[in-house]
Amino acid sequence: MTTTEETDAPHFSYARFQETAPAAVAALRALTKAVEDAGLEKDLIELVKLRVSQINGCAFCLAFHLDAARRLGIAQGKLDLIAAWRDAPVFSARERAALAFAERVTGMAAAPVTADAHAALLGAFSEAEAMHLTVSIATINAWNRIAGGLHFPPLAPRRG
């Protein structure tokens, strides 16, 4: 465990978390696998994970999912504009619906997810897809709170 000069907050590594809480890691990975097995587009899910991680200020998850997005071949121009997706024409209608819903779910402590937001989601996704997208949003929010709360330092990008 180390401390930072700015916050004097303890830092725990992701590896240490995996060693200490393997059942928690396995449970979160099982949620991720359930979404993958449901067939939602991997690039769309990575964009959602990136946007939620931006909102939550999680450097560990941002670095992790930027790396994953690049390995999937998501265009750098799209990654550069995700914070301003509403004004960027590079996002599809389906991506926009997912990003809008992800923002609503992530911010639901401040304002509830409205019937209009739910209807907009169902305009772009089937009921099953909407449910799995919501699981993905909930899972990345959980990871953001774990990684941010424990101050995981960002991992180095993987090659390949």
Side-chain angles (χ1 to χ4, degrees):
M1 184 166 69
T2 62
T3 58
T4 63
E5 293 176 9
E6 293 112 23
T7 63
D8 201 32
H11 282 229
F12 298 95
S13 71
Y14 175 59
R16 182 75 180 124
F17 178 69
Q18 289 177 299
E19 292 168 8
T20 305
V25 172
L28 289 162
R29 286 183 178 159
L31 289 169
T32 298
K33 183 160 178 15
V35 172
E36 289 172 357
D37 291 349
L40 281 174
E41 305 96 298
K42 289 181 181 185
D43 56 342
L44 179 132
I45 294 301
E46 287 304 322
L47 292 173
V48 165
K49 290 176 180 179
L50 284 166
R51 183 63 189 127
V52 170
S53 297
Q54 286 176 336
I55 292 166
N56 290 327
C58 183
F60 174 86
C61 292
L62 277 168
F64 185 94
H65 291 289
L66 278 167
D67 185 48
R70 288 182 184 113
R71 284 186 282 110
L72 283 173
I74 297 175
Q76 186 62 47
K78 191 175 269 193
L79 297 177
D80 291 343
L81 292 170
I82 193 152
W85 63 267
R86 284 180 181 80
D87 297 322
V90 297
F91 297 96
S92 70
R94 189 167 161 92
E95 290 168 339
R96 290 173 180 281
L99 292 165
F101 192 71
E103 288 183 358
R104 293 302 297 257
V105 171
T106 300
M108 66 188 283
V113 178
T114 64
D116 287 346
H118 190 257
L121 178 69
L122 291 176
F125 292 88
S126 71
E127 184 178 276
E129 289 173 327
M131 289 179 187
H132 285 96
L133 177 65
T134 304
V135 170
S136 185
I137 295 164
T139 304
I140 191 59
N141 270 285
W143 272 117
N144 289 167
R145 280 146 180 79
I146 292 166
L150 296 176
H151 296 270
F152 293 174
L155 299 172
R158 292 191 292 183
R159 301 286 180 236

